[in-house]
Amino acid sequence: MSATLILIVIAAYFGVLLLISHVVSKNTSDDSFYTGDRKSPWQVVAFGMIGAVLSGVTFVSIPGMVGTNYFYYLQFVFGNVVGYVFITYVLVPIYYDLKLVSIYTYLESRFGIKSYKTGSLFFLISQSFGAALRLLLAAKILQYAVFDAFHIPFFVTVLVILVLIWLYTHKSGIKTIVWTDTLQTFFLLLSVGVTIYIVKSALNLSIVETSTAVINHEYFKIFNWDFNSGSNFFKQFISGVLIAVAMVGLDQNMMQKTLTCKNKKEAQRNILTFSLVLAVTQFLFLGLGVMLYMYAESFGIQLDVENGKFINTDTLFPMLSLNHFGTIASLSFILGITAASFSSADSALTALTTSFTHDFMDFNHKNSKEKKSMKNLVLFGFSVVIFIIIMVFSQSKGNVISLIFKVAGYTYGPLLGLYMFGIFTKINIKDAAVPFICILMPIVTYLLNHFFILWFDFDFGFMNIFVNAFLTVICLILYRDKKNIN
């Protein structure tokens, strides 16, 4: 289809985002960028968070991974739901009772300044890589669908996306994002619905027949009991719990939205509602994946295969949408991927800016003019960081979502260990030892996983976050402050 038409649709979509930003940005204060003035309706926050969590990576990776990993990802989703319950009833009350803006301030009150700075630093590293990898995939798709036709280099495409995000977020940040994420989640889900309808119609199936075909398909395997496999049920479920706690409950990006709710009870309703809707949405993505493979097989479309296994599975959804499903499906896919990529990147940049200004730059003791200048400078700085990471990984291929969770296991593991130790024990620790522990434990975890695969053919998989957090807790116990035990 016409690249010009796609460009016009994207421009119109961006115009709507700017309009929302203009309306929401009226009567803002110095804290609106960071707290949304704590007036956000919880229903709006819950719906918008779906788009932020799914991101462009999930949008294309989950359907594609079905061909190599069946429905095993659903085991991970089941664990996520349990993790969100923990966030609802344990972490949210802590954050609200302490009236936190940066959630890592908790570590200072519990352990000390070095723990606080270390926790925030690990978030900054993890979020920078996670946001960049999510945006990378979306940028590649937009490059293929639009900008290649105009002979625009890839780095310019990335710059354009980052500039557009800056334009509608720099003034009121999270206050704007709560509402723009709602719009973006709507378009993301609309795209999935349109694609399901088009594929169903092309295969001449009714809704009931489609459901039956998916359930009876060879890829509809939910549970993996092979203990050595990285997709084993227990590894996936437990890591699903822990990664949900780490990547949402201990993530400034996700919790910043939740903390814009009016009070603790509304914030808890937000998390519970969001978790259930998200689980259903991810199930639909997996079902869509089966339908895409059925479509490719029925119409004789050749997919990339190596050693009898599908490769480059992230290209399945965009390839079929842009080349085989027609104009409406192509436009809905572009809107969906644009919405998903903007939704995850805009909130990530806001969270990175919030964490750095509050945790490292003595933000609260600055006057209004200094706060505004500092915020804009930091927001620009992290945009540059994300641009650099994207360009470094621009030649990467394969299943990006697995890479993101693996990176999260190493970077969020120490954070998870610190918070669990702080919440469930009253033991004080030697604050000065925390930075060294948090740097060393991911390295030890990586080496352990390498040698377990080499010696025992046993892959930790996503469970590396559990190993990482567990080792962190053990070291914290060894370096406890014996003179000051509560």
Side-chain angles (χ1 to χ4, degrees):
M1 66 176 296
S2 169
T4 302
L5 177 59
I6 296 176
L7 191 60
I8 291 171
V9 171
I10 293 176
Y13 173 76
F14 173 68
V16 175
L17 293 182
L18 275 181
L19 178 62
I20 293 174
S21 176
H22 175 72
V23 173
V24 173
S25 296
K26 294 178 180 179
N27 301 318
T28 56
S29 65
D30 291 336
D31 292 328
S32 297
F33 183 93
Y34 306 100
T35 67
D37 299 323
R38 301 195 191 277
K39 295 179 180 179
S40 302
W42 68 268
Q43 299 93 334
V44 174
V45 177
F47 189 70
M49 282 177 67
I50 294 169
V53 169
L54 288 177
S55 79
V57 172
T58 311
F59 188 71
V60 298
S61 279
I62 289 183
M65 72 161 56
V66 168
T68 56
N69 202 48
Y70 308 114
F71 266 57
Y72 294 155
Y73 184 75
L74 204 58
Q75 302 169 124
F76 181 80
V77 174
F78 294 152
N80 285 167
V81 174
V82 176
Y84 293 136
V85 172
F86 176 86
I87 294 169
T88 301
Y89 295 108
V90 177
L91 294 180
V92 168
I94 291 174
Y95 297 153
Y96 265 86
D97 291 344
L98 294 175
K99 298 180 179 179
L100 302 182
V101 175
S102 168
I103 63 174
Y104 308 109
T105 310
Y106 164 79
L107 294 175
E108 181 179 21
S109 64
R110 179 62 179 85
F111 297 127
I113 189 69
K114 287 185 170 59
S115 298
Y116 165 41
K117 302 293 186 183
T118 301
S120 180
L121 181 61
F122 266 76
F123 162 74
L124 293 175
I125 294 170
S126 187
Q127 188 67 200
S128 295
F129 274 93
L133 291 174
R134 290 181 179 97
L135 194 56
L136 167 62
L137 184 58
K140 282 185 174 182
I141 293 171
L142 291 176
Q143 180 72 25
Y144 170 76
V146 182
F147 295 102
D148 274 346
F150 298 100
H151 306 290
I152 295 174
F154 179 68
F155 79 90
V156 175
T157 301
V158 177
L159 285 175
V160 168
I161 293 173
L162 289 172
V163 169
L164 293 179
I165 291 171
W166 184 87
L167 285 174
Y168 73 84
T169 60
H170 78 280
K171 187 174 182 180
S172 56
I174 198 68
K175 187 172 183 178
T176 296
I177 288 168
V178 164
W179 292 96
T180 56
D181 276 5
T182 301
L183 177 71
Q184 290 165 170
T185 298
F186 170 77
F187 279 112
L188 187 154
L189 297 179
L190 177 65
S191 175
V192 175
V194 168
T195 305
I196 289 175
Y197 177 80
I198 289 174
V199 175
K200 174 190 75 67
S201 300
L203 296 175
N204 294 315
L205 298 174
S206 66
I207 294 294
V208 174
E209 290 171 336
T210 301
S211 301
T212 302
V214 170
I215 293 172
N216 292 330
H217 198 275
E218 61 177 312
Y219 293 161
F220 193 78
K221 300 176 183 177
I222 298 176
F223 301 105
N224 181 356
W225 304 109
D226 178 5
F227 195 68
N228 289 333
S229 170
S231 298
N232 169 263
F233 170 78
F234 297 103
K235 295 179 188 178
Q236 289 278 298
F237 182 83
I238 295 171
S239 61
V241 175
L242 298 179
I243 287 180
V245 172
M247 294 188 70
V248 176
L250 306 182
D251 186 296
Q252 179 68 29
N253 182 0
M254 292 296 106
M255 294 315 297
Q256 191 166 353
K257 295 184 182 71
T258 299
L259 295 177
T260 66
C261 293
K262 297 174 184 177
N263 53 56
K264 180 169 61 181
K265 286 188 176 180
E266 291 199 0
Q268 290 175 315
R269 290 173 189 161
N270 156 55
I271 294 292
L272 289 176
T273 303
F274 147 76
S275 66
L276 294 175
V277 176
L278 178 64
V280 173
T281 302
Q282 289 171 312
F283 179 81
L284 287 177
F285 270 99
L286 290 168
L288 172 62
V290 173
M291 294 176 68
L292 295 177
Y293 282 105
M294 288 169 57
Y295 182 95
E297 182 179 357
S298 296
F299 290 90
I301 299 171
Q302 295 296 316
L303 304 178
D304 294 336
V305 177
E306 188 176 278
N307 297 325
K309 293 184 179 180
F310 292 114
I311 60 172
N312 298 328
T313 56
D314 284 349
T315 64
L316 175 68
F317 191 7
M319 182 270 292
L320 292 178
S321 295
L322 297 174
N323 298 325
H324 297 276
F325 291 163
T327 301
I328 294 177
S330 296
L331 289 177
S332 68
F333 175 81
I334 290 296
L335 278 175
I337 193 66
T338 303
S341 56
F342 275 30
S343 182
S344 58
D346 57 18
S347 57
L349 283 168
T350 301
L352 288 165
T353 302
T354 299
S355 183
F356 193 82
T357 54
H358 281 75
D359 299 338
F360 292 96
M361 299 189 72
D362 195 27
F363 179 83
N364 291 326
H365 294 93
K366 306 293 183 182
N367 61 43
S368 181
K369 184 177 180 180
E370 290 174 327
K371 286 181 178 180
K372 183 177 180 181
S373 176
M374 182 185 296
K375 175 202 70 180
N376 290 335
L377 179 63
V378 174
L379 182 61
F380 173 77
F382 276 110
S383 298
V384 172
V385 169
I386 287 178
F387 172 78
I388 292 172
I389 295 173
I390 288 175
M391 296 315 298
V392 169
F393 285 88
S394 61
Q395 300 304 313
S396 62
K397 296 180 180 180
N399 181 353
V400 178
I401 191 170
S402 294
L403 176 60
I404 288 175
F405 286 136
K406 285 181 180 179
V407 171
Y410 292 112
T411 53
Y412 279 97
L415 261 179
L416 184 63
L418 276 172
Y419 272 84
M420 295 305 99
F421 189 84
I423 293 170
F424 293 110
T425 78
K426 294 183 178 181
I427 302 172
N428 288 325
I429 60 175
K430 295 178 180 178
D431 186 45
V434 170
F436 301 100
I437 293 172
C438 291
I439 291 172
L440 184 60
M441 289 309 101
I443 298 173
V444 173
T445 301
Y446 175 83
L447 292 174
L448 278 174
N449 189 49
H450 173 75
F451 287 114
F452 265 69
I453 293 174
L454 187 65
W455 295 337
F456 308 111
D457 194 29
F458 182 89
D459 185 1
F460 290 165
F462 293 167
M463 276 293 288
N464 60 1
I465 192 172
F466 170 79
V467 176
N468 199 350
F470 178 75
L471 292 175
T472 301
V473 169
I474 294 299
C475 287
L476 292 174
I477 293 173
L478 293 175
Y479 282 89
R480 65 188 181 277
D481 188 348
K482 298 178 181 178
K483 295 180 181 178
N484 296 290
I485 299 178
N486 291 331

